[in-house]
Amino acid sequence: RRQMSSFLNQYHISSKIEESERSARLVQGSCVGKLSARYKPVKDKGVKKAPFVVLIGADIPSILVETAFITNPRDEKRLKDGNYIDQIADGIMAGVKRFSSEMQTASIQ
């Protein structure tokens, strides 16, 4: 019984990691797409995997979004631009909506 519980727990964690990675890729792609349409250059640093403390123990798909580096002069300037911030928010929202839609479609099938 303990082995089965451990197996199911590991399976649950594994599925959340895969869902989190899919969510992160959709959000990343959406943010890069939104920003690169209006701002040049936009560097796509990709999706990284790591045991971020703020995400440990989450029982739902979870991502950490880094949108800019305040130590980068160009990023610092952009972060003062309300339109830039809106594009980031729109990109995150579009990626989350797409992920949610895909998850709903998968659960129906």
Side-chain angles (χ1 to χ4, degrees), residues 85-103:
I85 301 296
D86 287 346
Q87 291 298 306
I88 291 170
D90 289 347
I92 293 170
M93 184 177 65
V96 170
K97 281 183 171 181
R98 183 165 174 208
F99 175 75
S100 177
S101 176
E102 287 182 9
M103 293 303 293

Side-chain angles (χ1 to χ4, degrees), residues 38-90:
R38 290 187 63 178
Y39 299 89
K40 304 288 183 208
V42 172
K43 189 169 185 179
D44 183 346
K45 299 195 97 121
V47 172
K48 311 285 189 275
K49 287 187 194 180
F52 296 111
V53 173
V54 296
L55 302 180
I56 291 175
D59 60 353
I60 59 172
S62 305
I63 64 173
L64 175 66
V65 180
E66 291 183 329
T67 58
F69 297 97
I70 196 74
T71 55
N72 178 305
R74 182 176 51 233
D75 286 355
E76 179 186 9
K77 182 178 178 185
R78 287 178 177 176
L79 288 170
K80 294 176 182 175
D81 176 359
N83 291 324
Y84 184 75
I85 301 296
D86 287 346
Q87 291 298 306
I88 291 170
D90 289 347

Side-chain angles (χ1 to χ4, degrees), residues 8-59:
L8 290 175
N9 189 41
Q10 188 59 40
Y11 176 78
H12 178 72
I13 290 169
S14 178
S15 71
K16 294 307 166 206
I17 290 171
E18 290 171 13
E19 289 172 2
S20 294
E21 185 175 354
R22 177 70 181 147
S23 174
R25 291 192 187 293
L26 291 170
V27 169
Q28 173 74 7
S30 183
C31 283
V32 169
K34 291 267 186 194
L35 292 173
S36 62
R38 290 187 63 178
Y39 299 89
K40 304 288 183 208
V42 172
K43 189 169 185 179
D44 183 346
K45 299 195 97 121
V47 172
K48 311 285 189 275
K49 287 187 194 180
F52 296 111
V53 173
V54 296
L55 302 180
I56 291 175
D59 60 353

